Amino acid sequence: MADISVINQGADIVCEGNKKGRLSRMMSAVKSAPSLVNNRTAKALFKYVAVPLALWLAARGMAHAEDLTAAGKQDAEDTFGSNSTMMYYFMIAEVVLVFLLYLKSHNPATFLLVPVFIVVTKIIFAIIAARSGG
């Protein structure tokens, strides 16, 4: 009995759809389409059709890209290079911060942080310069 009532309800909807215009019938067909598709079928279509298609389109679009940062490589080298002014200011700031830390803690061992900070800063700036192509 339940199956018959479900089928009859669907038939009522179709009969009502025939009274409406052609656009309304198309919209109702589009709205009812997801309920007709099995969940496993939708997952399989998404997994084997939609995702590979999206990846293919994305890869195709990125394959023809130009390097927009090529003009800035020399600027990055000048800013973050081994003899740049930026590195000089970082080292001055490190010495000042270590001195302020000493004033707060009164521990002379804090001055050992100066060479540590300078070495770490040189390593970071060398990595930045190498990444920028300099």
Side-chain angles (χ1 to χ4, degrees):
M1 282 287 196
D3 292 338
I4 294 172
S5 65
V6 170
I7 292 172
N8 286 339
Q9 286 176 356
D12 292 340
I13 292 172
V14 173
C15 291
E16 288 176 7
N18 288 336
K19 294 178 186 176
K20 296 179 182 178
R22 193 176 288 171
L23 184 62
S24 297
R25 285 183 285 175
M26 287 184 352
M27 289 303 294
S28 66
V30 168
K31 287 180 183 177
S32 66
S35 65
L36 298 174
V37 176
N38 187 356
N39 195 15
R40 289 172 64 195
T41 307
K43 285 181 182 179
L45 281 173
F46 183 75
K47 184 177 179 181
Y48 296 114
V49 176
V51 172
L53 181 64
L55 289 174
W56 180 74
L57 287 173
R60 186 173 173 185
M62 290 180 198
H64 302 291
E66 296 178 21
D67 187 9
L68 299 176
T69 61
K73 286 184 179 180
Q74 186 60 41
D75 292 337
E77 174 63 31
D78 293 342
T79 305
F80 297 106
S82 59
N83 295 324
S84 67
T85 310
M86 179 81 74
M87 181 174 281
Y88 174 75
Y89 289 138
F90 268 105
M91 289 183 183
I92 296 294
E94 290 167 358
V95 171
V96 169
L97 288 175
V98 168
F99 181 72
L100 292 174
L101 183 65
Y102 168 74
L103 289 178
K104 185 174 182 176
S105 67
H106 297 289
N107 185 359
T110 56
F111 288 115
L112 294 175
L113 291 175
V114 171
V116 171
F117 284 153
I118 289 175
V119 168
V120 169
T121 302
K122 286 206 174 259
I123 290 171
I124 291 172
F125 274 65
I127 290 171
I128 292 171
R131 293 272 176 150
S132 68

